[in-house]
Amino acid sequence: MSQAPEDKPWGGRFTEATDRLVEQFSASVRFDRRLYAQDIRGSIAHARMLAHTGVLTVDECQRIVEGLENIRIDIEQGEFAWVDELEDVHMNIEARLIDRIGEVGKKLHTGRSRNDQVATDLRLYLRDEIDALNGKLRQLITVLLSLAEQEADSIMPGFTHLQPAQPVTLGHHLLAWCEMLMRDRARLADARRRVNVLPLGAAALAGTTFPIDRHYTARLLGFAAVAENSLDAVSDRDFAIEFAAAAALIMMHLSRFSEELILWSSAQFGFVDIGDAYCTGSSIMPQKKNPDVPELVRGKTGRVYGHLMALLTLMKAQPLAYNRDNQEDKEPLFDTLDTLHRCLDVYAAMMPHIKVRREVMKKAASAGYTTATDLADYLVRKGVPFRDAHAVVGQAVRHAIDAGKDLSELNLEELRRLSPKIEADALAALRLENSVAARNHVGGTAPAQVRAAIARLRERLLQPPA
Ligand code: ARG
């Protein structure tokens, strides 16, 4: 039911009631009520700042703060009736404040606008969420590091072009995932610096005629700086877009991990077994056990990419300063956050349920001629130029394929036929364990390096992300 226009907080200049259709079309309270805690926090800080500069008396400020705190309790106890007629979280809370504490409640909105208010709420919200997500990335990295430690010596084929390339350790492979997630943490931390700036004081767009102390408000809310330009402060959502881009990269990484887990758990690879608790079956094929969790994570990546594009497009043609378009920033942002939280939670929980089939992995490594480079490197150490060594080993591989053997199964006589430089110690170079152990430098796959890298990563996790 439409209210008479004068019942709207902005109804003074209107003579006709808002069409019900418009009310429903423009209301955002169904989704922006999520910002209630930040909205109340921001309002309390604003009221305190107004008391600090003498715009409100200490008593007025106290009544407003108490009223807002009681509203927070009502909301948390499910005793707050949100109404579409009051459009958004801001006007719902303000109207309730006036109901509760009377006339003095009407003074809260002095020297501010919903335009700087919503930008403040969103920044406070996103800042909290970034901190929570950083904790979750840290958790996932920690779980992966345990698995990497356990699998520091486990040999698997490393791939390029998804063809067996050179042996690596599974620990090393998992550390590659960790590095990606470490950069994701750093990206979030970097985005946070630009989120952590106070818009309040910009008011609708031009600032306010009241004596305000923006640095005081910033201190109360823990913002590192105040926005320098009022027009910019109320309008740009680049901080949210930047976060969405960092989120898209996180999902891209999770999607790559998922793709590998899906491949690895297939009958064809058989490298890992994902525990029953993290798989589902088929309603028709009784034998099936499907890797639904990684599949869904891979699938959800699409919606997060979509939200990034939605936010970029939302912003691209907006003239300064605030436009109502910006109300559309919330649903993509919230869904991005929800998706990230769920994917990171389920991933960290799933990792301990992944059983590694070491023997299968190792067999796959030995079946793929993956030590061919080691034999070529051996010849180089014997003085053969690398290009010639490459050709000789190519022939060795050809010979092994024809003989239906792996390189490590060729005997010394067969090898010596290809090059007289090959001596008994070449056989050692063809062993998988020696191949990985030989890559013994920072960033290499040798088990000793994997263990050292794990220790360094654990140290890095104790530092603030950078
Ligand atoms: N619900 C609005 C939003 O999300 C709040 C700001 C409204 N400002 C305005 N002038 N209509 O952006």
Side-chain angles (χ1 to χ4, degrees):
M1 224 176 315
S2 296
Q3 298 173 313
E6 65 272 15
D7 289 345
K8 299 276 190 201
W10 40 252
R13 62 98 70 214
F14 286 74
T15 51
E16 273 181 64
T18 316
D19 193 293
R20 185 69 186 131
L21 203 56
V22 172
E23 230 164 43
Q24 287 170 349
F25 181 70
S26 58
S28 54
V29 66
R30 265 164 297 112
F31 52 86
D32 67 15
R33 53 198 263 195
R34 236 169 117 133
L35 299 171
Y36 80 87
Q38 289 73 20
D39 195 70
I40 288 173
R41 232 184 121 191
S43 289
I44 289 175
H46 179 66
R48 292 216 156 107
M49 181 279 290
L50 291 178
H52 173 73
T53 60
V55 177
L56 292 180
T57 67
V58 171
D59 174 63
E60 285 169 335
C61 170
Q62 210 39 49
R63 279 152 66 200
I64 288 173
V65 170
E66 263 172 44
L68 287 166
E69 269 160 3
N70 287 327
I71 289 172
R72 181 182 8 230
I73 293 167
D74 285 355
I75 295 171
E76 275 156 12
Q77 293 180 343
E79 278 159 17
F80 190 98
W82 300 97
V83 293
D84 269 2
E85 287 81 355
L86 288 165
E87 269 182 44
D88 54 26
V89 60
H90 325 292
M91 293 205 299
N92 267 269
I93 290 175
E94 191 191 343
R96 172 64 68 90
L97 180 71
I98 295 164
D99 279 352
R100 263 181 171 272
I101 66 170
E103 288 299 299
V104 61
K106 296 181 180 171
K107 295 192 172 186
L108 169 63
H109 212 52
T110 311
R112 77 169 182 188
S113 147
R114 276 183 297 156
N115 297 351
D116 58 347
Q117 189 179 355
V118 68
T120 303
D121 292 4
L122 210 55
R123 284 170 182 270
L124 285 172
Y125 189 83
L126 192 51
R127 192 178 69 184
D128 290 347
E129 290 289 313
I130 287 175
D131 293 342
L133 287 170
N134 244 321
K136 289 192 178 176
L137 283 169
R138 192 169 187 283
Q139 173 59 22
L140 177 54
I141 295 168
T142 304
V143 176
L144 286 171
L145 285 175
S146 303
L147 190 59
E149 191 164 46
Q150 197 182 299
E151 306 297 335
D153 299 281
S154 308
I155 292 175
M156 64 178 283
F159 298 90
T160 62
H161 313 269
L162 201 58
Q163 307 288 333
Q166 289 173 353
V168 295
T169 51
L170 175 57
H172 191 55
H173 192 111
L174 294 171
L175 290 185
W177 292 8
C178 291
E179 287 300 329
M180 300 179 211
L181 296 172
M182 290 296 283
R183 288 194 297 278
D184 289 330
R185 289 183 84 218
R187 258 185 290 275
L188 286 185
D190 189 46
R192 189 191 193 278
R193 294 194 297 122
R194 282 172 293 280
V195 169
N196 199 21
V197 177
L198 174 78
L200 271 181
L205 75 163
T208 174
T209 56
F210 294 96
I212 55 171
D213 183 342
R214 299 184 65 211
H215 292 286
Y216 186 86
T217 318
R219 267 199 304 283
L220 291 180
L221 293 173
F223 283 110
V226 303
E228 288 283 343
N229 181 286
S230 65
L231 298 167
D232 176 44
V234 292
S235 76
D236 207 344
R237 295 293 182 265
D238 60 352
F239 66 91
I241 298 173
E242 206 178 328
F243 167 76
L249 286 170
I250 295 173
M251 290 304 296
M252 180 273 288
H253 287 149
L254 293 182
S255 184
R256 295 185 66 193
F257 307 165
S258 297
E259 174 72 8
E260 296 196 315
L261 289 178
I262 293 161
L263 283 172
W264 292 357
S265 63
S266 70
Q268 286 67 27
F269 274 78
F271 287 4
V272 297
D273 188 53
I274 304 175
D276 283 3
Y278 283 78
C279 291
T280 64
S282 157
S283 57
I284 171 169
M285 296 166 285
Q287 85 284 10
K288 293 290 299 256
K289 182 173 140 181
N290 297 324
D292 300 50
V293 170
E295 286 175 305
L296 278 167
V297 170
R298 187 176 60 182
K300 285 176 189 295
T301 305
R303 67 202 277 167
V304 173
Y305 287 9
H307 295 326
L308 169 61
M309 198 44 66
L311 290 171
L312 281 166
T313 312
L314 170 67
M315 203 72 241
K316 78 175 268 287
Q318 285 194 47
L320 286 171
Y322 175 85
N323 302 283
R324 190 68 177 268
D325 310 41
N326 276 347
Q327 183 167 294
E328 288 288 311
D329 61 3
K330 291 172 197 63
E331 286 161 296
L333 188 64
F334 293 159
D335 189 70
T336 298
L337 289 165
D338 291 342
T339 305
L340 271 183
H341 278 295
R342 286 191 195 119
C343 290
L344 289 169
D345 284 345
V346 78
Y347 238 84
M350 176 177 64
M351 290 320 293
H353 294 261
I354 289 181
K355 193 172 156 277
V356 177
R357 294 214 182 104
R358 293 184 189 148
E359 286 317 305
V360 179
M361 280 192 163
K362 189 168 177 193
K363 204 159 159 242
S366 64
Y369 308 102
T370 55
T371 50
T373 315
D374 296 271
L375 184 57
D377 288 354
Y378 169 86
L379 286 169
V380 169
R381 282 193 296 272
K382 298 274 168 175
V384 180
F386 183 77
R387 270 295 146 238
D388 296 340
H390 188 287
V392 168
V393 178
Q395 284 162 25
V397 170
R398 185 72 259 160
H399 176 79
I401 292 172
D402 292 344
K405 292 179 175 174
D406 180 57
L407 271 184
S408 59
E409 292 167 330
L410 298 183
N411 59 36
L412 189 56
E413 207 181 302
E414 287 171 294
L415 290 171
R416 281 186 67 85
R417 250 181 260 140
L418 299 163
S419 167
K421 299 259 184 195
I422 295 180
E423 293 168 64
D425 57 347
L427 297 176
L430 291 173
R431 293 198 48 231
L432 297 171
E433 286 78 4
N434 293 337
S435 169
V436 293
R439 286 160 172 80
N440 191 17
H441 52 77
V442 172
T445 194
Q449 291 295 337
V450 170
R451 291 201 175 84
I454 291 169
R456 287 196 301 274
L457 263 162
R458 287 192 171 132
E459 268 306 303
R460 283 158 70 196
L461 271 184
L462 299 175
Q463 315 299 323

